Amino acid sequence: MQKKNGVILALDVTSRADAMRVVEAVKGYVDAIKINWPLILATGPDMIREMSLVKDVICDFKIADIPNTNKLIVEQAMSRGASAVICHGFTGDDSVKACVDAAKGQVFVVTEMSHPGGKQFTAPVADKLAALAKSAGARGIVAPATRPERIAALRKIIGGLEIISPGVGAQGGKASDAIRAGADYIIVGRAIYDAPDPGGAAKALADEVKEGV
Ligand code: O7E
């Protein structure tokens, strides 16, 4: 994934037709497509390969298992054309390391989650999760656009690692605030795929990211 627009599309639609329609409209304004369980369960794992022919794909399976199972999941994702994967860090350094090894470093580790419940269990340990991402050799972390001050705090812990940031739009966060706080990319789903004009919505977000820099 090369940074051009600073926007990652969260493609949480549940049909192939919707996926194709949205991707066709936004592909000039996003740098990667994040695929999560809703689309995979609805259309099957070959969707990873299909999307990877259009854009870099980040497989967001929020992998959270023992090292061997993590490795097997990551291998399946990468062999279908994923460019990166997302894992949880609460499983410990050996489990995260297994993902990093299997993905050759192309791993983002979830820290503090963006929704209100993210404050309950993930926020208190987010600094440790960010430090773990760094020590395990991950590419970056996932940090909340709904709390830009936390992006800034986590940035201090990870140094030059990348920050990808969900929570813009439907969850109330603002793209420019997240970027100014230190995010490299925003992750956006509903504000793009539910918009009457997904292409226009994605372009407006890419413009806001540029202005926020
Ligand atoms: O709110 P939306 O529609 O813009 O979608 C946000 C996407 O980001 C959705 O796929 C959700 O699963 C994901 N996400 C969060 O919303 N909050 C988090 O804390 C973490 C993620 C996430 O994607 O984690 C991996 C990047």
Side-chain angles (χ1 to χ4, degrees):
M1 176 171 64
Q2 291 278 324
K3 187 166 173 183
K4 190 169 160 241
N5 298 293
V7 180
I8 297 169
L9 171 67
L11 192 55
D12 296 329
V13 296
T14 52
S15 77
R16 188 176 176 281
D18 278 345
M20 292 308 173
R21 174 181 56 79
V22 173
V23 164
E24 197 48 45
V26 311
K27 65 184 181 192
Y29 310 114
V30 303
D31 296 333
I33 300 169
K34 184 178 81 68
I35 298 186
N36 199 335
W37 290 115
L39 183 60
I40 293 296
L41 293 172
T43 64
D46 289 345
M47 185 54 73
I48 300 169
R49 169 78 56 208
E50 199 164 348
M51 287 298 158
S52 75
L53 300 176
V54 185
K55 282 277 155 189
D56 283 332
V57 168
I58 302 176
C59 275
D60 175 16
F61 300 148
K62 296 196 182 65
I63 306 162
D65 216 310
I66 61 167
N68 185 59
T69 310
N70 277 4
K71 167 178 159 287
L72 295 171
I73 295 168
V74 173
E75 285 172 354
Q76 287 299 315
M78 302 306 275
S79 72
R80 287 181 163 82
S83 299
V85 298
I86 290 167
C87 76
H88 271 298
F90 64 77
T91 48
D93 54 6
D94 52 352
S95 287
V96 173
K97 195 75 179 52
C99 293
V100 169
D101 290 345
K104 299 192 170 55
Q106 298 304 303
V107 173
F108 294 92
V109 179
V110 177
T111 59
E112 178 172 326
M113 294 194 75
S114 59
H115 62 309
K119 283 188 175 172
Q120 200 174 358
F121 295 112
T122 61
V125 293
D127 292 7
K128 283 186 183 169
L129 295 171
L132 168 56
K134 190 168 186 194
S135 65
R139 175 170 175 168
I141 62 167
V142 184
T146 46
R147 293 175 219 112
E149 72 285 1
R150 292 296 297 141
I151 297 177
L154 292 164
R155 167 60 75 200
K156 287 191 186 134
I157 295 168
I158 61 165
L161 261 60
E162 284 181 337
I163 298 180
I164 60 177
S165 184
V168 168
Q171 297 181 52
K174 236 181 127 336
S176 49
D177 289 349
I179 296 296
R180 276 191 217 111
D184 296 289
Y185 298 85
I186 52 165
I187 299 170
V188 186
R190 287 164 288 181
I192 293 177
Y193 66 71
D194 277 346
D197 171 14
K203 180 179 186 311
L205 285 161
D207 289 344
E208 190 181 335
V209 166
K210 279 190 200 97
E211 283 158 23
V213 175

